[in-house]
Structure formats: structure tokens, C-alpha cells
Amino acid sequence: MPTPVVSSRAPAAAESEATPRLLVIDDDPKLCRLVGTYLEPLGFQVEAVHNGPDGLKAALETAPDAVLLDVMLPGMDGFAVLQGIRAHSNVPVLMLTARGEEQDRVRGLESGADDYLPKTFTTRELLARLRAVLRRSGPTDLVNTEAALINGPLRLQPSDRTAFLHDAPLELTALEFDLLLSLIKACGRVRSREQLLADVTGREYDVFDRSVDVHISMLRQKLGDNPKQPDFIRTIRSVGYLMIRH
């Protein structure tokens, strides 16, 4: 099984923030030790679980700030674990997939993963992805007084990261909320896939990266939006997506 590439030098210090707790669910003890060795000096608490059932139990009972989840696990695969987590929690989940396994990446995103990493990830890439999902899911800055964004029956409140459709709350992951926020802020204007990916993950878009499309599909399901006759999110062929103005 591939292991992450360990950088020769780690960042000098962690960001000044509350100690984030990372749950690693992976049956490779060496990988788990490497993740802990790299992240713990940077202020993370790292717990490792090596099978699916115990991983799901730990994710629901210990309330970690983020989960690093392998696809191939004994007892219960990563997709089943993710579905079990999503039935009860919106904790950010990074899926670990084999290099080039687009099917696993897409399936993970469709099941509610926030992002994915190849099994050959570098520790610096892991740190960057973790910080990105933690920023999206962390407590809102108390000085943020941005007004609600309203488009017909859809309402987003950035200050507490809540969303409502016809006054009913929408259960969105942190990434889905940021994607919807990017679209509603540009209501009536096209946002390219490159712009959307930069908005919600801070990383560059790869022409083979289907993560934006998968998350848009999940958002449409939660909005009850028919992609052929959309009420909210319109596909602009070969370009990106547009929030229809109400």
C-alpha cells in the first residue's frame, strides 16, 4: 500500500487556533504513525482507528474536527463508514483513494466527502487540505455581520452558516454551503468550475477533476432542482454554473 511522502521540513509552527482533533481511519499503522508524527507537533491531536466499524463508532462518539478516511478497510469499507457518518454528522471528511481511481473519488464525493487525497499524498498537501476544511467548518468569526443572502425561497445566512429553502433548514456539508454561497453571491452571473473550486477549496482546477460537478449534483438533490429545468442552478455548457435570479 502506498504511503505518504514525508517532507524533509515541516512548517515552523501551527496556526494560532484551538487544537483540532483529527480521526484517521486506516488499516495501515505505518501511515497512521506518519500522519501523527507530522501533525502533532503542529498542534493537532491525532487518533487512529484501523477498521471500519470502530472507525464509524469513533467518528460519532468522539466528535472529531475532521476525519481522514481510507476506502479499503476491514469490517466495513470507507464508503459505508462515510454514509454512516453522514447519517448523523457533517464533520469534514477527507477520503483517501488510490492514485488514478476516479470512480472511488466520485463515489466518495457523492456519498458526502468534502475532499479527497491520493494515497501518495505529501504531508504538506495533507496539512493544506485539512486547514481548508477546518476553516470552512470552524466557528464563524463573531465580527462577521454579513446580511442574509436571499434569492426567492432560498436564504443563506453567512454569519452562522445556515441555509433555508421555503423556511425549512437545508442540511449542507461545509463545502456544499460554501459552493452555494459562491453561486448566490454571483446570482445571475456565471461562475466557472475553476472559480468555484478556488472559492471552496483554494486549490486549482484540473480538467479531469469532477469534484465541482459532483457537489453541484448533490446540491441540486437537496434543493429539489431538476437539472433539465432548474429553478436555481443552471449548467452553462463547457463553462460552469449560474444561480438563476428569482
Coordinates of all heavy atoms in Angstrom, one line a residue, residues 10 23 42 66 92-93 98 118 159 169 226 228 231 244:
A10 N 9.1 20.5 8.2 CA 7.7 20.8 8.5 C 7.6 22.3 8.7 O 8.6 22.9 9.0 CB 7.2 20.1 9.7
L23 N -9.3 12.4 13.3 CA -9.5 11.0 13.4 C -9.1 10.4 12.1 O -9.6 10.7 11.0 CB -11.0 10.6 13.7 CG -11.3 9.1 13.6 CD1 -10.6 8.4 14.8 CD2 -12.9 8.9 13.7
L42 N 2.4 20.2 15.1 CA 1.8 21.4 14.6 C 0.5 21.7 15.3 O -0.2 22.6 14.9 CB 1.5 21.2 13.1 CG 2.7 20.9 12.2 CD1 2.3 20.7 10.8 CD2 3.7 22.1 12.3
A66 N -12.2 16.7 12.2 CA -12.1 16.2 10.8 C -11.7 14.8 10.8 O -11.2 14.2 11.8 CB -11.0 17.0 10.1
P92 N -16.2 17.4 8.6 CA -15.4 17.3 7.4 C -14.7 16.0 7.2 O -14.1 15.5 8.2 CB -14.4 18.5 7.5 CG -15.0 19.4 8.5 CD -15.8 18.5 9.4
V93 N -14.8 15.4 6.0 CA -14.2 14.1 5.8 C -13.4 14.2 4.5 O -13.8 14.6 3.5 CB -15.3 13.0 5.6 CG1 -14.6 11.6 5.2 CG2 -16.1 12.8 6.8
A98 N -6.8 5.4 -4.0 CA -5.7 5.0 -4.8 C -5.5 5.9 -6.0 O -6.4 6.5 -6.5 CB -5.9 3.6 -5.3
P118 N -5.0 11.5 -2.8 CA -4.5 10.2 -3.3 C -3.6 9.6 -2.2 O -3.1 10.3 -1.3 CB -3.6 10.6 -4.5 CG -3.2 12.0 -4.2 CD -4.3 12.6 -3.5
S159 N -23.4 34.5 8.6 CA -22.9 34.7 9.9 C -22.9 33.4 10.8 O -22.1 33.2 11.6 CB -23.7 35.8 10.6 OG -25.0 35.5 10.7
P169 N -34.9 24.3 7.0 CA -33.4 24.3 7.0 C -32.9 23.2 6.0 O -33.4 22.2 5.9 CB -33.0 23.9 8.5 CG -34.3 23.3 9.0 CD -35.4 23.9 8.3
N226 N -34.3 20.3 -10.7 CA -34.2 19.4 -11.9 C -33.2 20.0 -12.8 O -33.4 21.1 -13.3 CB -35.6 19.3 -12.6 CG -35.5 18.4 -13.8 OD1 -34.5 18.0 -14.3 ND2 -36.7 18.1 -14.3
K228 N -32.5 19.6 -15.8 CA -33.0 19.9 -17.2 C -33.9 21.1 -17.2 O -34.0 21.8 -18.2 CB -33.8 18.6 -17.7 CG -32.9 17.4 -17.9 CD -33.7 16.3 -18.5 CE -32.7 15.1 -18.8 NZ -33.5 13.9 -19.3
D231 N -34.6 25.4 -11.2 CA -35.1 26.6 -10.6 C -34.0 27.4 -10.0 O -34.2 28.6 -9.8 CB -36.1 26.2 -9.4 CG -37.4 25.6 -10.0 OD1 -37.9 26.1 -11.0 OD2 -37.9 24.6 -9.3
I244 N -29.8 31.0 -10.9 CA -30.8 31.8 -11.6 C -31.5 32.8 -10.6 O -31.8 32.4 -9.5 CB -31.9 30.8 -12.0 CG1 -31.3 29.8 -13.1 CG2 -33.1 31.5 -12.6 CD1 -32.2 28.6 -13.4

